[in-house]
Amino acid sequence: MGLSKKLMTQLFTNLVRAYHFDELFARRLTRGELIGFYHPAAGHYAPGVAAGTVLEKEDYMWPHHRAHGVPHMLSKGCDIKYFLAEHTGKETGCCSGRTSWHWSYPEFGIFGMTGFIGGGFSQMVGYGWAAQKNGRKQVAMSCTGDGSFNNGRAHESMLMASNWKLPIIFLCENNGWAIHSRIEDMHPTEDIASLAPGLNIPAAIVDGQDVFACAEALQEAVKRARKGDGPTLIEAKTVRWREHDIGTPDLDGYRQRTKEELEALHDRDPLKIATQQVLETKLLTQAQIDKIHEDALAECDACEKFADESAIAEPTVEELRASVYAD
Amino acid sequence: MGLSKKLMTQLFTNLVRAYHFDELFARRLTRGELIGFYHPAAGHYAPGVAAGTVLEKEDYMWPHHRAHGVPHMLSKGCDIKYFLAEHTGKETGCCSGRTSWHWSYPEFGIFGMTGFIGGGFSQMVGYGWAAQKNGRKQVAMSCTGDGSFNNGRAHESMLMASNWKLPIIFLCENNGWAIHSRIEDMHPTEDIASLAPGLNIPAAIVDGQDVFACAEALQEAVKRARKGDGPTLIEAKTVRWREHDIGTPDLDGYRQRTKEELEALHDRDPLKIATQQVLETKLLTQAQIDKIHEDALAECDACEKFADESAIAEPTVEELRASVYAD
Amino acid sequence: MVQMTYVEAIKSAIQEEMRADDSVFMVGQDIRGAIYPHSKGLVEEFGEDRIVDTPMSEFGMFGTAFGAAMTGEYRPIVDFMFAACSFCAGETLMVQLGQQYFLHGSQTPVPMVILGACGTGKRLANDHSYIPRAEILHRPGLKYVFPSTPADAKGLMASAIRDNNPVFFLYHYDLLMDKGEVPEGQYYIPLGETEVKREGTDITVLANGLMYKHAMEVAEKLEGEINVEVLDPRSFEPFDLDTLLASLEKTNHLVIVDEDHARCGFAAEVMAQVFEKGFDLLDAPIERVCIENMPIPGGYMEPTVVPTPEKVEAAIRRVLA
Amino acid sequence: MVQMTYVEAIKSAIQEEMRADDSVFMVGQDIRGAIYPHSKGLVEEFGEDRIVDTPMSEFGMFGTAFGAAMTGEYRPIVDFMFAACSFCAGETLMVQLGQQYFLHGSQTPVPMVILGACGTGKRLANDHSYIPRAEILHRPGLKYVFPSTPADAKGLMASAIRDNNPVFFLYHYDLLMDKGEVPEGQYYIPLGETEVKREGTDITVLANGLMYKHAMEVAEKLEGEINVEVLDPRSFEPFDLDTLLASLEKTNHLVIVDEDHARCGFAAEVMAQVFEKGFDLLDAPIERVCIENMPIPGGYMEPTVVPTPEKVEAAIRRVLA
Ligand SMILES: Cc1ncc(C[n+]2csc(CCOP(=O)(O)OP(=O)(O)O)c2C)c(N)n1
Ligand SMILES: Cc1ncc(C[n+]2csc(CCOP(=O)(O)OP(=O)(O)O)c2C)c(N)n1
Ligand SMILES: [Mg+2]
Ligand SMILES: [Mg+2]
């Protein structure tokens, strides 16, 4: 395996953190302690964790909306308490409580998001362009779902990245679904990666349930990008154990997803797989693993405490008017 | 060759007509006898002629803006006098003189156009959808340039056509240029056709200077579509002997296109190639060919006469107001 | 008359029209599974050929409807899920759609409905809560309706489907479960009829959608003190100014409430038209109560920037002061 | 002061700013070859790294500028060739661009210029002649300027590039070759200053771009008979109402000429603002002279639907009647 022990430990730790944060966000949404909606990871943790972990702080990133980007952001080093505060409408939120669910961590190369899927592909070209020109060997990581590759923005973004050999990694987190729609009905080939040759982009397909496999492929792609060899498309095959967003029926078209299908998806639990790997390779002991879980839970608690104790964001209209434009 | 003699004669005749009409439009624009602009075919005649000729009247079509769709439309059976009248601002114009350069031949499955390249890809899906559902075995032909395939609309249109096996033929008229931009700088692979496998669409590359080769490939694709086997991408490699639109400098990036390059492009003149073919295969005699040219020139004259003698379209504002909405 | 909710009324119009006319079909994302409830059960009744799910390809999805409409054989409904998603279809929707018929010699009608849900209240910020309105009204060739009640929902949707032009039918999340009396069977509200929803003599409030509810709430509250007439345009294009002018003959005072940004909005347009056609009818300047000229924030600050019953009441009092 | 054309003035501002600031770059289609003349010669001076040609991928092209601007290291100019092409970037331009800064906590400025040519006169019909205006003004967070003269062209472009927000800088085909005096070196016109371009006492005409020329033509013609004051907003957002109100204090009459569709247009917005802030200043209703609410036809019928000097004069006479 081409991953250092340090990186593997980080990946494992971030995976555990992503898992616990996903539980936290899902629980809070269900209890009415989170504003808006929540699109749970529910099995779909590893690609985002890998993407965030292999990057440097100053690299650019577009996190995926799945799990509201938390796996990606926490792995990149962002403190999730600001995002949770945002998601609960607090003054301390990463967008000053103005969105309920948008991220913004400019120091980490994460500038915001949009509710329009595919919207990130467009600005990704600009991140890549900036990264290429500024000479600091930054890269830009685009994390989006399988469904987003059916959008024309994906085509334009990959095409321009390829033309200009921009340092962009296109990570397709393919969980096989877009809301109620099976990828088989929405995308004409088996793999999203099949788009890459037509755009002269190298591609790889990896097991999205294996965080180490994801990281290896992504690390390779990041290396290529930093060397100036251009973009890569990485397709990580992952799963979605639950409904698209909490509370929405979990349908296959217009019929309930079957129990059998859902159960089968649990065969490959990214946390179990990673745990087995770190134990087998003796990277970590059970005691160390337990400690990682404990720390993650403590971090979750601290974030909740921070968010819950922060004041509600209720600026005056004058304050808001004064912040529409930058000086 | 899989083409009937009748079809070959039609193709040759339409090619001759397209050539003379292109000269006519170019001449009129230069003389100020045409409103707006004109994007001459200048070597780029054959794909459009083939596309129009292999279709039935009731098939749907999106003509290419190159030569303002005239090769396509005349080959499909449209009387060009209405288009010329439109292009000269006359009451008898195919859009009642409201556009100066848009086409509209609804009885021929040609419903209009737009100045935004790529705009046709979108509605093409609807034509294909209608053609598939109405059970009359219609097909829809999309004719656009190489440049348009860099637009996301192309991706979405081909993807949906592939998913639904719509009877659409995507003809890429690849003349190697988009205004001043070389395809090599704008598209990351050698062929536009390389996009097709990633979308599970069969594709073929043909010599766009050989009208018979184009027609053969397109006829095959039309057959597939009528049988219900779905879309095909046909890439016809053609040339552009002149500037993008008349009066614009003929640049390669920001330098003049070289004489040598332009001269080399003339090596493969579609009219010469076709003439040689019809003579060699004894499809037509020189006398017959001469007659075809004569008839085409007479047709051009008649169109000009019609347009020039038609009244200028100057409706009252009340008349215009009354025609914004359909009843 | 039957009691039904606003969303049931929308669906009921779609059902009636689809039963009556095979050429009506619906295309959108996850509409078979009814990600938004107006399409619930439609695929079971009409089948997958007429309730069509597409990939997340807004240009292709929109084009499916646009192209099919032009062939003259179909009357499509394109469902953008949340209404602002319609902007994802770019110039095909914003420019081509409205000009197609007129520019090409008024030969090829484009009978289609553009459907989307929107409105503030969910606190999800601009993308999801924004109501596309003035941008659409500004583009010529596009009709636009927005229902305030279940009966409006049914009657406007049915008329939108029957219309031979592109009609935007947008509806409000927050009204979905509102109940009301709705005529049974096919029922049409002609496009372009402002409705006097509540009679009054002191002041006219022009309001629609959730704002209509705010206006009614304020009118009830002020009952006895100020006699508020509430008008609902229902159809923003075509817009029936005459009914408004008739109301102003009586009240001589006007407040316009619009759940849209003020700048270059519908409220400004109505003010301009009243300026042009009813200048002498007014005893005081018109007030408009709109969304602040800023992207709609989510979280707890939505009420700070969108019209509320309190703001409507204050405007009424200022105009009458 | 030097004499130069409107298009030279645009270019000169771009050059000055690019010389002064390495972070300014330009991205568009066929701009190296200057398919529209404002970029002629720029690639020779600034190189291919800063004058960047893209494929016909409007989302990617727009995103190059949008993304680069957000990184804080670049001040891009994105050139859409003809201005309506900007709609091809769909919701990224219409929704994301204006909300990006504010929604995300006012942390990440988006300093960029959106450039495009437009205007009637070429008879090419709606797509090419249409001036995107009210749709942009309606979307919060976007600034918008449009020059009428060479000096405006230079000063507004320079300020647009220096601004830390997205600024639409659109210009008119028909003014390209107009000549005028232009200050040498760096020259800035602050955004949001209506200019009194011609003093008068009887009536105020607010007009911009080609319409400004029409207004001046009419003012000269009426000289002696009617004393017309001509105001040019230059910047539509931010818009300086105060200068207009000051003018109305004097003239008490207003005609607004706008080369845009009337419905929900800038003219309506100004009428609304005057209603709100200057109701008592007016001796007669305002008239707006705008494009008819229909897609702009090409051919010979353009003058029938767009404002002409004759229509402006008629409006002035009606208002003063
Ligand atoms: C432009 C746009 N179209 C549709 C939607 C509604 N929508 C939200 S998430 C989603 C599916 C996304 O699927 P995918 O990209 O595979 O990501 P996943 O949720 O499966 O992780 C859709 C259709 C949207 N938000 N934006
Ligand atoms: C959306 C859009 N972008 C840009 C343009 C300007 N434009 C007109 S034709 C053209 C190039 C077209 O190239 P191609 O598709 O290869 O067709 P060709 O003209 O070479 O036949 C461009 C960029 C446009 N009309 N619409
Ligand atoms: Mg998915
Ligand atoms: Mg080309």
Side-chain angles (χ1 to χ4, degrees), chain B residues 87-259:
Chain B
H87 229 310
T88 48
K90 300 306 176 73
E91 234 172 50
T92 52
C94 58
C95 302
S96 306
R98 291 189 192 152
T99 67
S100 84
W101 64 292
H102 286 220
W103 50 69
S104 174
Y105 288 91
E107 339 71 279
F108 291 88
I110 296 173
F111 301 115
M113 60 97 69
T114 163
F116 304 104
I117 310 283
F121 279 120
S122 170
Q123 53 197 267
M124 192 46 58
V125 188
Y127 300 165
W129 195 92
Q132 184 181 65
K133 296 298 172 207
N134 71 22
R136 293 199 309 276
K137 306 256 177 230
Q138 278 168 290
V139 303
M141 176 81 70
S142 167
C143 307
T144 65
D146 47 298
S148 73
F149 284 82
N150 297 330
N151 195 287
R153 290 154 184 77
H155 175 75
E156 296 190 6
S157 186
M158 292 194 290
L159 182 140
M160 287 178 69
S162 177
N163 283 345
W164 292 345
K165 285 195 168 300
L166 299 182
I168 303 181
I169 301 92
F170 294 97
L171 171 62
C172 173
E173 307 188 18
N174 181 354
N175 61 11
W177 292 92
I179 308 189
H180 307 146
S181 299
R182 257 181 205 283
I183 186 172
E184 290 82 353
D185 296 328
M186 295 298 153
H187 192 84
T189 63
E190 193 165 324
D191 307 311
I192 299 291
S194 67
L195 297 171
L199 295 165
N200 197 26
I201 293 183
I205 298 175
V206 288
D207 179 357
Q209 301 309 85
D210 179 345
V211 74
F212 304 118
C214 289
E216 245 185 326
L218 287 164
Q219 194 177 247
E220 209 45 57
V222 168
K223 253 188 222 149
R224 279 194 77 236
R226 282 203 215 284
K227 272 202 311 200
D229 290 346
T232 309
L233 172 60
I234 304 287
E235 178 176 359
K237 306 272 195 192
T238 182
V239 301
R240 202 190 79 202
W241 292 333
R242 295 190 56 170
E243 67 268 34
H244 171 70
D245 71 306
I246 291 178
T248 293
D250 194 7
L251 305 180
D252 173 359
Y254 47 105
R255 300 185 186 90
Q256 205 60 37
R257 273 215 284 175
T258 64
K259 238 190 177 162

Side-chain angles (χ1 to χ4, degrees), chain C residues 176-245:
Chain C
L176 273 181
M177 301 312 290
D178 280 13
K179 283 204 166 166
E181 297 280 297
V182 176
E184 277 170 280
Q186 288 184 304
Y187 165 60
Y188 304 94
I189 297 175
L191 305 190
E193 291 192 3
T194 297
E195 189 183 34
V196 181
K197 282 225 159 84
R198 181 182 197 278
E199 305 239 7
T201 49
D202 297 333
I203 187 164
T204 302
V205 176
L206 184 73
N208 168 270
L210 183 64
M211 301 301 106
Y212 156 72
K213 283 180 75 177
H214 288 356
M216 289 300 276
E217 183 185 325
V218 174
E220 304 297 335
K221 183 181 164 201
L222 297 179
E223 177 79 63
E225 180 191 356
I226 301 172
N227 210 334
V228 179
E229 175 142 313
V230 178
L231 264 54
D232 179 0
R234 300 191 298 194
S235 157
F236 289 75
E237 168 58 24
F239 170 61
D240 163 17
L241 180 69
D242 293 339
T243 301
L244 174 62
L245 294 179

